[in-house]
Amino acid sequence: MTSLYISLGHNSSCVLAKGMSIIVGFEQERLDRVKSSSAYPRLAIDRCEMYAGEPIEAAYVGHWFDDFGLKDSKYLDMEHLRSVTKNIVGLSPEFTHHDSHAQSAMSFYRSVSGREFEDADIVVLDGFGNRQECLSVYEVSGLPGTRPKLKHRTYGYRRSLGLMYQYTTSYLGLKMHQDEYKLLGYESHVLEYMTHGKAAEVKARIAEQARDHVEIMLFAEAKPAPQYGDLIDREELENAKTMWFERAAKWRKMFDHRLSEDGVRACIAFCAQTFLEECVVELIDRLCPVPMGKPAPALILTGGCFYNVKLNRRIMVDTQRRIFPHPLAGDQGAAMGHYPGLYSKDLSWGDRAILGRNGQLPVGVEMVGRDRWAMRAVELIESDRIVNVVRDGMEFGPRALCNTTTFALPTRENVRRINALNERDEFMPMAPVLTASAANSMFVNFDYARTTYANRFMITTCAFAVKPPAQLMGVAHKDPVDEFYTARPQVVNDFSDLGRMLQQFPHETLINTSFNYHGEPIVWSEDDACKTHEMQCFRAESLSMTKPITLLVRS
């Protein structure tokens, strides 16, 4: 059966599958060039149709609306969708947004791990799903054909930890749905604005607040009345915003009123991160106990909260369990839960043609063959150049996994240069790509062993076994309070083309950050790549910096 899996709302998307195999997938933002686009994913749907080669038999639609009946809105064009297929399947009270998240994450975990008959616990934690669901916990039997079984569900916008983090981001003057990850960057500077003693005191106070909130979440199991006049209960959502803004304002009063804007952001980000971690660890401890005398089931984590890589490591350390945060934890991956068992071992779903624009390339953009690009990248990086690479299928999801990537030697100076070229601020974190051999010796074995499958997707952090040398400080992040360093790795096979390229460098490690200008989506087409390259060159010229080189790898 040829089917579409369509996710509505921010980060809207469409995936084409034939039977149980994913063929292509596109996020609307990559095509309409609007960061975190929430538009009806018409362009993504049309693009998937091009690859179908036969009529679309069904479209499965995921959303977070209170009303399960699909109807026209700014997120959905029913006339267009009916022109694609008459068989349109939505969610229902029996199969909700969170149920779809859980099924999607389980299917992907089994695809990449090969552990099809393993027991697991699944935690879904996000802003909200249908009828204000904000936390759902499931157990999965390893028996063939079993689906996740719901154990607990919390309802209510005011209970939502996803909304807490989102509204804290907004309180700090940053963009919701885009800048949440920056809070980790700000938090890492917190000791520039308070002493260790003060940080410990604040952490204890926040932990007490978190314990109180957990008790509320554990007993908020009553479903709110559904909203039929609007997609969601906007009045109650505004109440939640007010509540979390008031909480952030109280946190602000714990610190010196003379703090700079960066200082305020660092201190309140520290509070928000502590609150999130303390709540989630306690919830998992209470809701996902390990059966006596049995091996601990894997923990599969999905929902937007689990894009928080520091939270994911905290869960791993506190629970002592193997974890798998879903690389598509956001809504763009949720609709695929409609069909259990959809199969894919990677996320390079965005097929694209790279043909060289008939030779009409800007200065500094080079067209290279598939057998040549790695050698050329090594030449440039060894001379300390910033190198953008666009090759093969575009990554589906928020991470650049070396197909649409900026590479550089992993120094702090190169982090500064890349941020400057893309007009990003200095709080933007960067991650390493490295060989499996390098990772095995570089990271604490406990961390690395418990993230075996997740560490291919830059979705959790691992602690360095020893303090990293200066040559790696561009991808090392010091814990804001404790004396250790972590990184958010993408680990690759030593014997892959990329692995052999990495072996040419000290520590077999490079910076791997997304190829995009600040405020714009990751590039998709060769035209996008050329435009972004020219913007970077303009910045480089204005700052008297060396210009980057962009390699387009021929399809």
Side-chain angles (χ1 to χ4, degrees), residues 306-323:
F306 295 116
Y307 279 142
N308 189 304
V309 295
K310 187 168 179 279
L311 168 65
N312 295 340
R313 181 176 185 274
R314 173 73 188 278
I315 293 168
M316 177 189 67
V317 170
D318 278 42
T319 65
Q320 302 280 296
R321 293 167 70 172
R322 286 181 296 106
I323 66 166

Side-chain angles (χ1 to χ4, degrees), residues 164-210:
M164 178 279 295
Y165 214 79
Q166 175 180 312
Y167 287 137
T168 302
T169 301
S170 178
Y171 176 85
L172 294 174
L174 301 168
K175 292 181 180 179
M176 294 191 303
H177 308 307
Q178 292 188 31
D179 290 342
E180 281 81 0
Y181 71 100
K182 289 185 181 180
L183 268 62
L184 289 179
Y186 281 106
E187 185 217 20
S188 66
H189 293 268
V190 71
L191 290 183
E192 297 171 20
Y193 305 99
M194 69 175 85
T195 64
H196 270 282
K198 176 69 172 178
E201 175 194 330
V202 169
K203 199 166 188 175
R205 291 175 64 182
I206 299 298
E208 185 176 345
Q209 295 172 17

Side-chain angles (χ1 to χ4, degrees), residues 322-535:
R322 286 181 296 106
I323 66 166
F324 183 78
H326 188 17
L328 302 178
D331 286 355
Q332 65 268 69
M336 288 176 281
H338 272 282
Y339 194 87
L342 279 182
Y343 183 85
S344 180
K345 286 204 169 189
D346 62 37
L347 295 171
S348 302
W349 301 348
D351 192 37
R352 54 189 167 191
I354 302 173
L355 304 174
R357 302 206 314 175
N358 296 315
Q360 302 301 306
L361 298 175
V363 174
V365 176
E366 302 178 12
M367 194 72 185
V368 292
R370 296 171 66 88
D371 60 345
R372 167 71 178 156
W373 80 267
M375 187 185 308
R376 179 60 176 147
V378 169
E379 294 171 0
L380 293 165
I381 295 167
E382 282 183 333
S383 60
D384 208 20
R385 297 295 292 272
I386 306 298
V387 180
N388 305 310
V389 174
V390 181
R391 67 188 185 104
D392 298 332
M394 176 189 64
E395 302 90 336
F396 190 90
R399 308 291 192 223
L401 300 173
C402 294
N403 284 9
T404 320
T405 284
T406 299
F407 292 115
L409 294 173
T411 63
R412 282 181 173 163
E413 174 58 19
N414 279 339
V415 171
R416 186 196 67 78
R417 290 168 64 196
I418 293 168
N419 281 335
L421 286 175
N422 292 292
E423 211 170 345
R424 301 172 182 170
D425 61 45
E426 288 301 310
F427 293 93
M428 301 282 271
M430 290 191 187
V433 58
L434 69 167
T435 63
S437 294
N440 195 44
S441 61
M442 190 179 297
F443 298 124
V444 172
N445 182 259
F446 172 88
D447 286 22
Y448 187 54
R450 283 168 172 74
T451 60
T452 303
Y453 308 110
N455 62 33
R456 292 164 45 191
F457 301 104
M458 297 169 30
I459 193 65
T460 190
T461 60
C462 292
F464 283 89
V466 297
K467 182 179 177 180
Q471 301 98 310
L472 290 174
M473 278 299 180
V475 293
H477 304 279
K478 189 175 181 182
D479 185 85
V481 176
D482 297 315
E483 295 295 320
F484 67 92
Y485 289 82
T486 62
R488 174 171 53 95
Q490 180 187 354
V491 179
V492 302
N493 188 302
D494 290 37
F495 303 104
S496 65
D497 289 346
L498 190 55
R500 284 191 286 269
M501 183 186 93
L502 290 167
Q503 289 168 7
Q504 308 307 308
F505 300 102
H507 309 288
E508 300 183 3
T509 302
L510 292 175
I511 285 172
N512 167 25
T513 189
S514 57
F515 179 24
N516 66 297
Y517 206 78
H518 178 60
E520 296 204 353
I522 299 174
V523 306
W524 171 53
S525 68
E526 55 189 358
D527 287 342
D528 298 334
C530 290
K531 176 188 172 186
T532 303
H533 173 86
E534 289 179 314
M535 293 167 71

Side-chain angles (χ1 to χ4, degrees), residues 127 216 223 262 273 411 417 469 497 527 529 538 554:
I216 294 170
K223 295 181 184 179
D262 285 348
Q273 183 67 26
T411 63
R417 290 168 64 196
D497 289 346
D527 287 342
F538 179 81
R554 190 178 301 279

Side-chain angles (χ1 to χ4, degrees), residues 421 536-545 547:
L421 286 175
Q536 290 177 336
C537 288
F538 179 81
R539 280 281 293 174
E541 199 166 291
S542 67
L543 297 171
S544 299
M545 294 173 58
K547 296 178 181 178

Side-chain angles (χ1 to χ4, degrees), residues 89-397:
V89 182
L91 299 171
S92 70
E94 291 72 40
F95 189 75
T96 71
H97 180 71
H98 276 200
D99 298 335
S100 189
H101 259 305
Q103 181 71 61
S104 173
M106 185 187 76
S107 295
F108 193 77
Y109 171 69
R110 289 180 170 177
S111 289
V112 301
S113 70
R115 294 173 175 265
E116 296 185 28
F117 307 113
E118 179 183 38
D119 292 350
D121 291 321
I122 304 177
V123 181
V124 182
L125 187 69
D126 60 4
F128 58 89
N130 309 121
R131 299 183 182 176
Q132 301 186 39
E133 58 186 355
C134 62
L135 166 68
S136 298
V137 177
Y138 306 79
E139 60 185 3
V140 181
S141 164
L143 296 173
T146 55
R147 288 177 177 250
K149 178 183 177 182
L150 182 67
K151 295 200 298 181
H152 172 86
R153 177 162 288 159
T154 295
Y155 294 90
Y157 298 139
R158 283 181 278 183
R159 321 289 184 243
S160 169
L161 295 173
L163 288 179
M164 178 279 295
Y165 214 79
Q166 175 180 312
Y167 287 137
T168 302
T169 301
S170 178
Y171 176 85
L172 294 174
L174 301 168
K175 292 181 180 179
M176 294 191 303
H177 308 307
Q178 292 188 31
D179 290 342
E180 281 81 0
Y181 71 100
K182 289 185 181 180
L183 268 62
L184 289 179
Y186 281 106
E187 185 217 20
S188 66
H189 293 268
V190 71
L191 290 183
E192 297 171 20
Y193 305 99
M194 69 175 85
T195 64
H196 270 282
K198 176 69 172 178
E201 175 194 330
V202 169
K203 199 166 188 175
R205 291 175 64 182
I206 299 298
E208 185 176 345
Q209 295 172 17
R211 285 191 291 272
D212 291 341
H213 191 73
V214 164
E215 294 303 321
I216 294 170
M217 291 187 72
L218 288 173
F219 297 99
E221 296 183 271
K223 295 181 184 179
Q227 296 295 304
Y228 295 108
D230 205 344
L231 296 176
I232 59 174
D233 187 339
R234 297 191 181 279
E235 181 179 352
E236 180 58 18
L237 188 63
E238 189 62 30
N239 291 338
K241 178 180 179 180
T242 299
M243 186 192 83
W244 290 118
F245 265 56
E246 288 173 351
R247 176 68 63 94
K250 289 179 181 177
W251 290 340
R252 173 67 185 91
K253 291 178 180 178
M254 296 166 68
F255 308 107
D256 192 325
H257 70 276
R258 296 166 296 181
L259 284 175
S260 65
E261 180 179 64
D262 285 348
V264 170
R265 287 177 173 179
C267 293
I268 293 183
F270 176 67
C271 294
Q273 183 67 26
T274 300
F275 188 87
L276 177 67
E277 290 181 22
E278 296 297 328
C279 282
V280 175
V281 167
E282 178 72 11
L283 287 165
I284 290 176
D285 183 61
R286 302 271 290 273
L287 296 171
C288 302
V290 176
M292 291 289 292
K294 293 185 177 181
L299 269 175
I300 301 174
L301 310 171
T302 191
C305 288
F306 295 116
Y307 279 142
N308 189 304
V309 295
K310 187 168 179 279
L311 168 65
N312 295 340
R313 181 176 185 274
R314 173 73 188 278
I315 293 168
M316 177 189 67
V317 170
D318 278 42
T319 65
Q320 302 280 296
R321 293 167 70 172
R322 286 181 296 106
I323 66 166
F324 183 78
H326 188 17
L328 302 178
D331 286 355
Q332 65 268 69
M336 288 176 281
H338 272 282
Y339 194 87
L342 279 182
Y343 183 85
S344 180
K345 286 204 169 189
D346 62 37
L347 295 171
S348 302
W349 301 348
D351 192 37
R352 54 189 167 191
I354 302 173
L355 304 174
R357 302 206 314 175
N358 296 315
Q360 302 301 306
L361 298 175
V363 174
V365 176
E366 302 178 12
M367 194 72 185
V368 292
R370 296 171 66 88
D371 60 345
R372 167 71 178 156
W373 80 267
M375 187 185 308
R376 179 60 176 147
V378 169
E379 294 171 0
L380 293 165
I381 295 167
E382 282 183 333
S383 60
D384 208 20
R385 297 295 292 272
I386 306 298
V387 180
N388 305 310
V389 174
V390 181
R391 67 188 185 104
D392 298 332
M394 176 189 64
E395 302 90 336
F396 190 90

